[in-house]
Amino acid sequence: MGTNPLAIPANNIICSLTDPEGRSLGAPLDLPQDAGPKELYLLINTLLQNEEKLPYAFYINDKELLGSLGAHLLQNRVSVEQVLQIVYQPQAVFRIKPVTRCSASIPGHSEAVLSVQFSPDSRMLASGSGDTTVRFWDIYTQTPLFTCTGHKNWVLCIAWSPDGKMLVSGSKDGELRLWEPTTGKAIGNPLTGHKKWITAVSWEPAHLQSPSRRFASASKDGDIRIWDTTLHKTVMCLTGHTLAVTCVKWGGEGFIYSSSQDCTIKVWETTSGKLIRELKGHGHWVNTLALSTEYVLRTGAFDHTGKQFNSAEEMKQAALVRYKAAKGNSQERLVSGSDDFTMFLWEPGTSKQPKARMTGHQQLVNHVYFSPDGRWVASASFDKSVKLWDGYSGKFIATFRGHVGPVYQISWSADSRLLVSGSKDSTMKMWDMRTQKLREDLPGHADEVFAVDWSADGEKVASGGRDRVLKLWMS
């Protein structure tokens, strides 16, 4: 009689504990089948010699272990003929509550809201609109704070400096403007140089430069420009793309990544503006980029605790600690999404070959975003779905269905446990990473939802769209 490898083993199970990148933690272990997350939690904290016990989630073949090993293996028909690989993933020590209700609908913009973004310290909110204005909102009184006029066309993108001291906005006429958030006043004259509209802006990270000073802008004219806000001018123009630049990200290692309708992604060095690497593979326009460290790069020194800082140097050090923690032992990873329906996972610091090709979407990929802990990648597509992928291997994990129109934008909760999406179908939806199912349906907008953002303190979500209303959602 042959043995059945799927039967519950009568004795212990030989297991290997590995980190998300597949690095083993010591030799394989002999574990009893009634061991579960609680026993593994004690074991992993001992093996890693953590002074304070940290929370972890455990995965076998991408499925989370929620009960005993024996029951999990039987239920999921896992063979135990080889050493069983258990992946441990650190979890956020804090927990973000899901937002469940709209706490305010604030009118003000006279045309569609095209972008919304919370400040890094979560205390303020800014929006850009088709009415040519940038607005700052008071989150506590839930009222408009400042209306910033000066742009002559639609405000297509906005970005807070990681120290929270400035906001930059880019418009359809190719101009960029800087704003002082505490007064709503313009800082200097418009920044001109781009010949067509601005598609994206990204600031130099706080752990590299504090106070914030430089940012990069991408344009339909095919160029990326690096601006110095103190000198109030372009200090470098990165040329080489042959069609519109769709996205730009300033990475934590000091490189700038740009994607373009010329189907390429370029990696630039930021001291001289030299092109270091070109990433090829997509068969159509590249629409969107995401960095594994993006969440901490955007929020700099600020986290869910709301801690404030006394000096730029203190901020720089705090940002560096957060960046190192987010990066861990691995290198900064990049994901690209394209009109060819596919995505690629890259390790652009060392290779121009993709680490993985990520297929499954049936329409163009509009937005990609790594979870704050780098564990997951979420993608939003015109095929009406949101998909979840492994942030280290690029392997497909789950599809979130529920929207009945294209999904435009997604945003993560600070603890990486929840994801919110905004769609053409006028709703927002919240997805739970543990159950990999819909957690909350958030209707309320009267038309397409173009923009959504979740504050770094986890307490609020903002959304805006065609109905011209800014909505705040609370837990």
Side-chain angles (χ1 to χ4, degrees):
M1 286 286 287
T3 58
N4 177 6
L6 296 173
I8 279 205
N11 39 23
N12 290 0
I13 302 160
I14 299 171
C15 304
S16 169
L17 288 167
T18 69
D19 71 6
E21 290 200 73
R23 287 183 287 246
S24 291
L25 181 65
L29 301 157
D30 210 4
L31 296 177
Q33 351 164 3
D34 59 1
K38 197 168 145 200
E39 290 74 21
L40 287 170
Y41 157 79
L42 295 169
L43 176 66
I44 199 93
N45 274 288
T46 308
L47 289 171
L48 291 169
Q49 300 174 346
N50 293 335
E51 285 176 25
E52 285 182 36
K53 286 194 170 60
L54 297 171
Y56 291 87
F58 301 94
Y59 296 86
I60 298 166
N61 296 344
D62 296 319
K63 280 206 162 50
E64 188 173 357
L65 175 70
L66 299 169
S68 72
L69 275 171
H72 180 95
L73 301 186
L74 192 64
Q75 191 183 339
N76 294 289
R77 301 181 63 78
V78 180
S79 163
V80 287
E81 291 201 314
Q82 280 104 24
V83 174
L84 182 72
Q85 195 177 26
I86 302 176
V87 177
Y88 64 90
Q89 167 70 31
Q91 299 291 287
V93 193
F94 56 96
R95 193 170 276 276
I96 300 294
K97 291 189 184 130
V99 300
T100 49
R101 61 189 176 85
C102 178
S103 67
S105 295
I106 325 172
H109 282 299
S110 58
E111 288 292 335
V113 180
L114 303 176
S115 51
V116 294
Q117 207 179 69
F118 284 101
S119 60
D121 67 0
S122 306
R123 292 181 170 201
M124 288 178 80
L125 176 67
S127 58
S129 164
D131 66 10
T132 77
T133 69
V134 169
R135 283 175 180 253
F136 291 99
W137 309 83
D138 186 316
I139 293 165
Y140 300 104
T141 61
Q142 303 187 339
T143 53
L145 201 55
F146 306 115
T147 302
C148 309
T149 57
H151 280 298
K152 298 185 277 294
N153 210 319
W154 300 351
V155 179
L156 299 175
C157 51
I158 57 173
W160 289 85
S161 60
D163 63 2
K165 302 274 196 286
M166 286 178 277
L167 181 95
V168 66
S169 55
S171 87
K172 202 180 170 192
D173 61 16
E175 281 187 358
L176 292 141
R177 283 179 173 263
L178 285 167
W179 310 96
E180 157 65 64
T182 52
T183 63
K185 298 261 189 304
I187 303 169
N189 293 322
L191 301 167
T192 56
H194 281 300
K195 296 175 276 303
K196 290 185 180 170
W197 68 71
I198 309 296
T199 53
V201 276
S202 183
W203 287 85
E204 183 170 19
H207 70 271
L208 298 176
Q209 167 66 44
S210 207
S212 301
R213 184 165 169 171
R214 297 193 298 170
F215 70 88
S217 61
S219 166
K220 190 172 160 52
D221 66 14
D223 294 345
I224 300 106
R225 285 176 176 264
I226 299 177
W227 306 84
D228 184 314
T229 58
T230 310
L231 301 173
H232 217 76
K233 65 175 193 185
T234 300
V235 285
M236 263 175 263
C237 189
L238 314 178
T239 58
H241 282 298
T242 54
L243 287 170
V245 183
T246 52
C247 193
V248 63
K249 299 287 177 192
W250 198 314
E253 301 300 299
F255 300 129
I256 284 177
Y257 307 97
S258 60
S259 61
S260 167
Q261 289 180 352
D262 67 11
C263 308
T264 71
I265 297 146
K266 294 187 192 293
V267 185
W268 312 85
E269 186 269 343
T270 51
T271 50
S272 63
K274 200 166 97 232
L275 178 67
I276 301 179
R277 217 166 252 131
E278 196 167 48
L279 312 178
K280 291 180 174 173
H282 283 296
H284 210 306
W285 297 355
V286 188
N287 297 323
T288 177
L289 296 174
L291 280 169
S292 55
T293 51
E294 192 169 329
Y295 195 88
V296 291
L297 296 182
R298 197 190 118 182
T299 48
F302 302 102
D303 62 12
H304 66 284
T305 61
K307 183 177 179 221
Q308 295 291 306
F309 299 89
N310 299 321
S311 71
E313 190 49 42
E314 193 187 344
M315 216 179 253
K316 190 176 181 179
Q317 290 312 314
L320 183 61
V321 169
R322 289 189 73 223
Y323 175 70
K324 281 183 171 167
K327 193 164 155 280
N329 300 325
S330 50
Q331 54 173 300
E332 207 165 43
R333 303 179 304 287
L334 183 76
V335 161
S336 54
S338 165
D339 262 32
D340 66 10
F341 311 171
T342 73
M343 296 153 60
F344 280 103
L345 174 67
W346 313 85
E347 288 182 339
T350 52
S351 173
K352 60 179 190 181
Q353 300 306 321
K355 190 169 179 185
R357 184 166 183 256
M358 301 151 78
T359 59
H361 279 300
Q362 307 295 309
Q363 289 277 339
L364 69 87
V365 180
N366 201 48
H367 189 210
V368 288
Y369 204 176
F370 272 91
S371 59
D373 63 7
R375 171 79 173 105
W376 313 109
V377 173
S379 56
S381 167
F382 274 36
D383 67 9
K384 307 172 189 171
S385 78
V386 174
K387 288 188 188 287
L388 187 70
W389 316 78
D390 184 292
Y392 293 94
S393 67
K395 191 174 162 192
F396 169 74
I397 303 290
T399 300
F400 299 145
R401 296 193 196 283
H403 283 299
V404 293
V407 188
Y408 291 138
Q409 203 172 22
I410 45 186
S411 193
W412 286 94
S413 64
D415 63 358
S416 305
R417 290 185 176 101
L418 300 164
L419 179 78
V420 68
S421 55
S423 163
K424 183 177 179 162
D425 68 11
S426 86
T427 72
M428 284 157 52
K429 298 194 190 301
M430 183 169 302
W431 312 94
D432 189 315
M433 294 309 107
R434 171 156 273 187
T435 61
Q436 294 176 2
K437 288 190 169 63
L438 181 70
R439 178 71 182 260
E440 296 286 341
D441 204 359
L442 303 169
H445 278 288
D447 210 329
E448 308 183 41
V449 182
F450 293 138
V452 14
D453 194 28
W454 202 320
S455 63
D457 66 4
E459 286 175 14
K460 44 216 170 267
V461 168
S463 59
R466 197 184 281 280
D467 66 3
R468 312 192 291 276
V469 173
L470 191 91
K471 284 187 181 285
L472 282 173
W473 309 78
M474 304 279 180
S475 56

